[in-house]
């Protein structure tokens, strides 16, 4: 089974649940990331109003983060490779009278084009799910190509620390890739060192406006890690990227 099929099957498992129940769940689960994005907007786009702001949530799933922003007036686009996730997101948003733009697409595919450029692009905990350099490069290039000149890319991603506990059913290789056993080993997370991440972003031709390592945070890669103490889980980096002034737009 491919990881794309795995995620599609996961979202299919929600099909018997009502949109109202899912609405409450996605709002709750995305609240932490939403609060961070609100801080980013206040700090880095202070003169821009939420009303009509062009926002894209990448790796949106059910679009919980985007729904927080739609409530503030943002014009939201949801991008995910799972048709089931976006179909369910459409029903959830309709409960509150919203009609987000929905794009089924693989953000790691070099040919993917989004319909417009955005004031705010948000990584919905997607970057650390991209395990290999070519797909990460394509993703960052997609972001670069679709940011407005003064727009921001806000992300929160997991990074490595000196000691990370790996439970049974997982393995961690020398390239900082976490693998999970699904009958066979599948790559599921890339947990890079924060300095390597910073270098990767520079190579992708971004201006790093904000980059902060939160060593006190424990990032849970999978429910199998839930009982592991925070100090031996992956740490977190929160970052804001913008186009360099000499970048083509």
């Amino acid at each position: 089974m491919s990881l794309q099929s795995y995620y599609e099957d996961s979202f299919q498992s929600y099909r018997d649940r009502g949109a109202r129940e899912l609405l409450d769940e996605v709002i709750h689960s995305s609240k932490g990331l939403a609060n961070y994005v609100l801080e980013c907007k206040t700090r880095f786009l202070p003169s821009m109003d939420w009303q009509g702001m062009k926002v894209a949530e990448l790796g949106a799933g059910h679009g919980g983060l985007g729904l927080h922003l739609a409530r503030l007036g943002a014009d939201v686009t949801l991008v995910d490779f799972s048709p089931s996730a976006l179909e369910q997101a459409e029903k959830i948003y309709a409960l509150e009278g919203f009609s987000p733009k929905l794009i089924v697409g693989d953000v790691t595919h070099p040919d993917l084009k989004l319909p417009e450029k955005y004031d705010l692009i948000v990584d919905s905990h997607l970057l650390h799910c991209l395990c290999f350099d070519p797909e990460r490069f394509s993703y960052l290039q997609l972001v670069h190509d679709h940011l407005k000149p003064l727009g921001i890319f806000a992300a929160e991603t997991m990074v490595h620390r000196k000691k990370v506990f790996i439970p049974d059913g997982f393995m961690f290789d020398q390239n900082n890739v976490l693998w999970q056993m699904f009958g066979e080993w599948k790559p599921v997370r890339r947990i890079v060192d924060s300095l390597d991440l910073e270098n990767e972003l520079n190579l992708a031709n971004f201006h790093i406006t904000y980059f902060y390592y939160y060593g006190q945070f424990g990032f849970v890669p999978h429910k199998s890690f839930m009982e592991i103490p925070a100090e031996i889980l992956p740490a977190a980096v929160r970052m804001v990227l913008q186009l360099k002034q000499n970048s083509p737009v």
Side-chain angles (χ1 to χ4, degrees):
M1 174 188 290
S2 70
L3 278 179
Q4 185 167 351
S5 298
Y6 169 76
Y7 284 113
E8 175 64 13
D9 287 349
S10 297
F11 285 115
Q12 281 281 354
S13 68
Y14 288 91
R15 63 185 177 273
D16 295 328
R17 298 175 60 184
R20 175 60 60 183
E21 179 186 359
L22 287 176
L23 170 64
D24 295 339
E25 181 177 311
V26 300
I27 285 294
H28 175 74
S29 64
S30 58
K31 187 174 181 179
L33 183 58
N35 286 340
Y36 168 58
V37 172
L38 295 178
E39 292 172 7
C40 290
K41 188 272 176 197
T42 298
R43 183 172 177 182
F44 300 107
L45 297 173
S47 62
M48 186 173 293
D49 193 86
W50 280 111
Q51 191 66 40
M53 182 186 296
K54 299 291 185 179
V55 175
E57 182 182 0
L58 305 184
H62 289 133
L65 181 279
L67 183 53
H68 282 276
L69 307 186
R71 287 174 167 180
L72 296 172
D75 179 2
V76 173
T77 297
L78 306 179
V79 184
D80 200 279
F81 64 17
S82 169
S84 295
L86 295 181
E87 288 170 10
Q88 292 158 14
E90 186 173 32
K91 293 176 182 178
I92 292 167
Y93 276 59
L95 289 175
E96 300 200 358
F98 300 126
S99 300
K101 299 179 183 71
L102 306 175
I103 299 176
V104 178
D106 181 352
V107 296
T108 70
H109 198 288
D111 294 333
L112 179 65
K113 301 295 181 186
L114 305 182
E116 55 192 327
K117 295 193 176 187
Y118 301 92
D119 302 297
L120 170 63
I121 299 178
V122 182
D123 176 285
S124 199
H125 290 164
L126 174 60
L127 180 59
H128 52 236
C129 297
L130 308 180
C131 295
F132 302 111
D133 290 340
E135 59 189 14
R136 290 170 68 91
F137 177 82
S138 292
Y139 175 54
L140 292 173
Q141 187 64 52
L142 178 78
V143 173
H144 193 281
D145 290 347
H146 291 90
L147 265 183
K148 289 186 178 181
L150 299 179
I152 63 172
F153 174 55
E156 177 184 69
T157 192
M158 64 180 68
V159 292
H160 198 251
R161 65 170 91 228
K162 289 183 178 179
K163 183 177 182 181
V164 174
F165 180 81
I166 307 298
D168 292 340
F170 295 83
M171 66 176 181
F172 193 63
D173 71 17
Q174 69 275 12
N175 296 314
N176 296 318
V177 176
L178 182 70
W179 299 71
Q180 185 176 357
M181 175 57 71
F182 295 107
E184 60 179 347
W185 289 107
K186 294 287 187 180
V188 293
R189 299 287 186 269
R190 180 82 171 270
I191 310 174
V192 300
D193 182 86
S194 60
L195 293 176
D196 291 335
L197 174 61
E198 193 170 1
N199 185 57
E200 180 180 32
L201 301 174
N202 278 313
L203 289 174
N205 203 34
F206 283 105
H207 173 70
I208 302 174
T209 304
Y210 176 77
F211 189 95
Y212 194 86
Y213 175 86
Y214 287 82
Q216 73 274 29
F217 286 2
F219 222 129
V220 177
H222 181 272
K223 61 183 179 181
S224 298
F225 290 70
M226 289 293 292
E227 302 303 319
I228 297 172
E231 62 268 20
I232 52 175
L233 285 170
V237 159
R238 285 180 168 180
M239 59 191 183
V240 171
L241 309 180
Q242 293 181 279
L243 299 179
K244 292 181 177 179
Q245 289 189 356
N246 61 350
S247 294
V249 296

